[in-house]
Amino acid sequence: MLQLKSIFLFLSIVLLSTSNEVTISWRNNYKLSWEHFKGQPQKNTDAVAVTASGITFSYSLKHRNSEVIDFTANVEAHFYPEKSWYIKERANQYILAHEQLHFDITELHVRKLRHQISQVKINNFLKKTLDRLHQNSNEELAKMQKRYDTESHNSINTEAQTKWQKFVAKELEKYEAYKSAD
């Protein structure tokens, strides 16, 4: 039996992204297709596909007399076509759905981070607070992505794959108020 395997590649945007890099923003009614996976497949791997996605985060603080008086924050889930790849001969719609769920998990953590940011009180330690929230969000995202691949055995365990699809859909609905714009 052909073993199908996919790998999620979590990217730290601050370290690996360039301002000219092409990205796809997560949108509720927009799904990935194999045409979006433009990277070169790795050789000598069991992986059928790699999804590169991550959280893009920025903020600005407004000061008055060295006191922080307000802030704005922007949090987005992005997919990186040039860093994502697949092996055409082994790919199918089932594996694409597995890869889409990796992107959906990224959006889930974007929503959770937006929710946390909405709870932040303005103070002079705001920069540190926002940076910590972002860091924690990235760590939780990486853990969930790894757990997803482990439990679903990289999509091979169809029962676990279905369980994850239902779980992520429920969680996305729970944080619906913080979803990315369509």
Side-chain angles (χ1 to χ4, degrees):
M1 179 175 140
L2 176 64
Q3 182 179 13
L4 300 178
K5 187 176 183 181
S6 68
I7 298 173
F8 169 79
L9 178 62
F10 175 74
L11 301 175
S12 176
I13 306 311
V14 175
L15 298 176
L16 299 176
S17 179
T18 64
S19 60
N20 295 333
E21 187 169 19
V22 174
T23 63
I24 296 173
S25 297
W26 190 96
R27 294 188 308 274
N28 196 44
N29 294 318
Y30 185 84
K31 299 297 180 197
L32 296 175
S33 72
W34 287 124
E35 294 170 356
H36 296 119
F37 292 71
K38 299 181 182 294
Q40 284 295 102
Q42 291 178 359
K43 298 187 187 320
N44 302 321
T45 180
D46 290 334
V48 174
V50 167
T51 292
S53 68
I55 297 172
T56 303
F57 177 65
S58 64
Y59 60 86
S60 82
L61 306 178
K62 185 176 179 182
H63 293 84
R64 183 183 306 140
N65 299 332
S66 74
E67 296 256 343
V68 176
I69 60 168
D70 201 4
F71 76 100
T72 58
N74 185 37
V75 187
E76 300 293 331
H78 284 124
F79 173 84
Y80 299 90
E82 300 299 327
K83 291 184 172 95
S84 301
W85 57 264
Y86 74 108
I87 299 172
K88 186 176 184 176
E89 301 76 31
R90 295 172 56 202
N92 58 39
Q93 288 306 111
Y94 178 76
I95 292 173
L96 182 59
H98 177 84
E99 299 305 315
Q100 176 67 51
L101 200 60
H102 277 297
F103 195 21
D104 294 345
I105 290 170
T106 302
E107 168 66 10
L108 172 59
H109 283 78
V110 162
R111 292 180 187 192
K112 287 181 172 186
L113 180 54
R114 287 180 184 142
H115 174 258
Q116 292 171 339
I117 291 169
S118 75
Q119 306 299 308
V120 169
K121 304 288 187 237
I122 297 173
N123 61 53
N124 284 335
F125 303 103
L126 194 55
K127 181 182 182 325
K128 185 177 275 192
T129 300
L130 293 172
D131 289 341
R132 182 179 38 78
L133 288 174
H134 179 227
Q135 180 179 349
N136 291 346
S137 183
N138 277 330
E139 289 169 3
E140 290 302 313
L141 171 60
K143 286 179 195 173
M144 184 178 282
Q145 296 285 14
K146 184 175 182 173
R147 196 169 73 241
Y148 168 48
D149 271 340
T150 298
E151 291 179 9
S152 72
H153 197 66
N154 298 298
S155 81
I156 295 170
N157 182 332
T158 57
E159 186 178 312
Q161 181 68 31
T162 300
K163 176 185 150 207
W164 270 94
Q165 288 169 330
K166 290 176 181 175
F167 169 75
V168 171
K170 183 178 174 186
E171 288 295 297
L172 285 170
E173 189 175 312
K174 180 177 165 183
Y175 290 95
E176 177 82 12
Y178 301 96
K179 76 176 181 176
S180 294
D182 284 330

